[in-house]
Amino acid sequence: MKKRSHLFITIIVCCGSVFSLNAQQRYGQGKVKITHDSVRSTVLGEVRKISIYKPEVFPEYAEAISPVIYVLDGEYYTDYIATMINLMCERFVTMPPIMVVGIENFGRSMGRNRDMTPLIAKDSSIFKTSGGAENFIKFIREELFPFVEKDHKKTPYRVIIGHSLAGLLVMHSFLKHPGMFNGYLASDPSMWMDQNAYMHITIEAINKMQAYDGSLFMSTVNNPSLLTNARKVDSLLKSRSPKGLSYKFMEYPREDHLTVCFKSYYEGFRFFFQMDPPEYDKQPGELTYKLFEKHYQSLSRIFGYSMKPPENVINNFGYLLLMGNDIDKALEFFKKNVENYPQSANVYDSVGEAFLKKGDKKNAMINYEKAFQMDPTNTAARDIVNKLKSEK
């Protein structure tokens, strides 16, 4: 409808940019509710504490298969991660629900050093226990996944996140266990461990990598022992460019090793869950419906159900194109809305306006008439139909 275009142009003028939400924003009252549980592990021979956050599932997302974020060092970071997800999925609802599972360490540093390290360290003065990564990964795959995901209708989109030594475990999972997770987030990974011994394994694995079905987000800070290795991994992955791998590397020179995780986790989530709208960094002339279609196809794979470009988003961009006199492209947007939302009166009103501006009075009248039949309060559409009939 025309009033929508006026509103949209006003927004552009006021904000100086074009933006849209991935879904119709709504507001909820859900606060962060984290439950605590434990898993008796036969693999590890111990009881492991876990923390779980499950957002409320709103009606519009009833079909979604909630992705699961597995948080290493869960006793430190679960609250932070769950709060971020709560704001996006329960408080200011702009995306389907995402589950957070924090895996707490056993025995603090001793257990952490054991579980996060792929190699038995030669330097036992720092790492008195080490080399238990494969056992820990087996625990996650064979015992934790079934426990956490027992209510899922199918295998969810999984993300594993870790910082520092836990970032090393994430890198090991990425290199040696492809397919176990969909997304791997390594914040400032401690690839320096044991005089960079794991870097030899990393280089060999990447050089053999031809294809990879998954995503990696890696970050680092301006610290020589961390930056050099991270840049080397980045260079290798970019030169190798494995088919299918979605990859992003970020340097945060103004952060240190203790603070970089906060930016890394947020930016990593934006990357994995494709929170940047498809029109990001695009000029109006570069907009195509295919951009939106591809974006929501990707989101459908992440959230496990078919997601169409929202009616209001496509309608707004259709009007942006119409106001720029790109009528044929505007018609493409409006016609796709008719295909996707045939029960909406507004989509017929919009396509009718585009046809009228194109000079196609016949199709304009057909669509305005349909809009009025579906919404008798739309007297503007009725008046246009009457005027067009009188001009015959």
Side-chain angles (χ1 to χ4, degrees):
M1 295 176 70
K2 191 173 289 185
K3 63 182 179 182
R4 288 180 179 268
S5 68
H6 292 164
L7 172 62
F8 192 61
I9 298 302
T10 301
I11 291 172
I12 295 169
V13 171
C14 291
C15 299
S17 62
V18 178
F19 67 91
S20 67
L21 294 173
N22 287 340
Q24 181 65 48
Q25 183 172 326
R26 59 178 290 179
Y27 301 96
Q29 298 299 316
K31 295 182 179 180
V32 182
K33 293 179 182 176
I34 297 174
T35 60
H36 301 277
D37 213 324
S38 60
V39 179
R40 184 171 294 278
S41 172
T42 302
V43 172
L44 298 174
E46 61 201 25
V47 176
R48 296 304 296 257
K49 293 179 180 179
I50 61 171
S51 305
I52 300 175
Y53 167 68
K54 290 183 180 180
E56 178 183 351
V57 180
F58 291 93
E60 61 264 42
Y61 298 131
E63 296 179 54
I65 306 297
S66 177
V68 185
I69 300 171
Y70 288 90
V71 183
L72 301 176
D73 293 333
E75 66 268 41
Y76 303 120
Y77 301 113
T78 302
D79 287 0
Y80 174 68
I81 303 302
T83 300
M84 279 199 295
I85 299 300
N86 170 265
L87 287 170
M88 294 183 288
C89 298
E90 273 198 283
R91 301 289 281 183
F92 308 104
V93 187
T94 58
M95 58 197 303
I98 298 170
M99 190 173 175
V100 178
V101 177
I103 310 170
E104 298 187 17
N105 291 306
F106 182 84
R108 297 296 179 179
S109 62
M110 296 288 282
R112 184 175 188 266
N113 288 353
R114 177 198 69 188
D115 293 337
M116 305 299 166
T117 51
L119 303 174
I120 296 175
K122 295 174 184 176
D123 186 353
S124 60
S125 64
I126 299 176
F127 296 99
K128 298 185 186 303
T129 57
S130 59
E134 281 300 315
N135 239 21
F136 186 59
I137 288 171
K138 185 178 180 182
F139 154 69
I140 295 173
R141 183 178 59 245
E142 296 183 7
E143 297 177 324
L144 187 60
F145 282 171
F147 182 87
V148 169
E149 300 168 8
K150 58 183 178 293
D151 295 329
H152 280 70
K153 290 179 281 187
K154 62 180 182 180
T155 301
Y157 183 93
R158 297 171 178 149
V159 173
I160 184 170
I161 71 172
H163 172 66
S164 190
L165 202 59
L168 173 61
L169 189 279
V170 171
M171 291 302 299
H172 178 67
S173 303
F174 167 74
L175 294 169
K176 296 299 182 179
H177 297 275
M180 185 171 168
F181 296 92
N182 303 92
Y184 300 80
L185 196 163
S187 169
D188 218 13
S190 296
M191 308 288 280
W192 55 265
M193 180 204 162
D194 211 22
Q195 298 181 343
N196 303 311
Y198 195 74
M199 281 299 294
H200 301 295
I201 296 171
T202 301
I203 292 167
E204 182 182 5
I206 293 174
N207 281 331
K208 291 179 179 178
M209 200 178 286
Q210 295 182 346
Y212 201 101
D213 184 16
S215 300
L216 171 67
F217 180 97
M218 184 177 65
S219 68
T220 193
V221 296
N222 190 19
N223 179 311
S225 64
L226 296 159
L227 181 62
T228 302
N229 286 334
R231 282 182 172 173
K232 187 175 292 185
V233 172
D234 175 53
S235 178
L236 280 169
L237 283 170
K238 284 177 178 172
S239 63
R240 190 69 185 171
S241 191
K243 184 179 180 181
L245 175 65
S246 180
Y247 169 63
K248 187 170 185 178
F249 173 60
M250 295 288 292
E251 292 185 19
Y252 297 102
R254 296 181 65 182
E255 304 299 325
D256 60 33
H257 187 63
L258 295 177
T259 63
V260 67
C261 58
F262 302 113
K263 283 189 175 179
S264 299
Y265 290 162
Y266 174 71
E267 290 293 339
F269 295 153
R270 289 197 68 86
F271 174 65
F272 292 132
F273 298 114
Q274 300 190 25
M275 292 165 61
D276 287 334
E279 70 275 12
Y280 179 73
D281 260 1
K282 298 287 189 299
Q283 297 299 316
E286 299 174 296
L287 294 176
T288 64
Y289 184 80
K290 282 288 183 186
L291 280 174
F292 293 86
E293 190 172 53
K294 185 179 179 182
H295 178 73
Y296 284 93
Q297 284 172 351
S298 295
L299 290 180
S300 297
R301 289 191 289 271
I302 293 168
F303 292 102
Y305 75 110
S306 179
M307 298 176 71
K308 296 180 291 189
E311 178 192 341
N312 66 309
V313 171
I314 297 304
N315 193 65
N316 285 340
F317 280 101
Y319 272 112
L320 176 65
L321 293 163
L322 194 63
M323 293 300 151
N325 285 318
D326 197 342
I327 301 173
D328 288 335
K329 194 180 283 187
L331 271 168
E332 179 191 7
F333 275 61
F334 292 141
K335 285 178 180 178
K336 288 294 184 180
N337 251 358
V338 171
E339 287 179 25
N340 290 332
Y341 303 97
Q343 304 306 314
S344 167
N346 187 63
V347 298
Y348 297 99
D349 185 286
S350 297
V351 78
E353 185 170 346
F355 274 124
L356 190 60
K357 190 165 184 177
K358 188 179 174 69
D360 187 343
K361 294 182 180 180
K362 178 183 176 182
N363 279 310
M365 186 168 65
I366 290 170
N367 282 281
Y368 273 123
E369 199 158 33
K370 179 81 170 176
F372 178 63
Q373 287 171 356
M374 295 179 70
D375 178 14
T377 66
N378 188 354
T379 55
R382 178 202 61 194
D383 293 343
I384 292 171
V385 169
N386 290 337
K387 184 176 183 296
L388 289 173
K389 285 180 178 179
S390 69
E391 292 174 355
K392 281 188 174 182

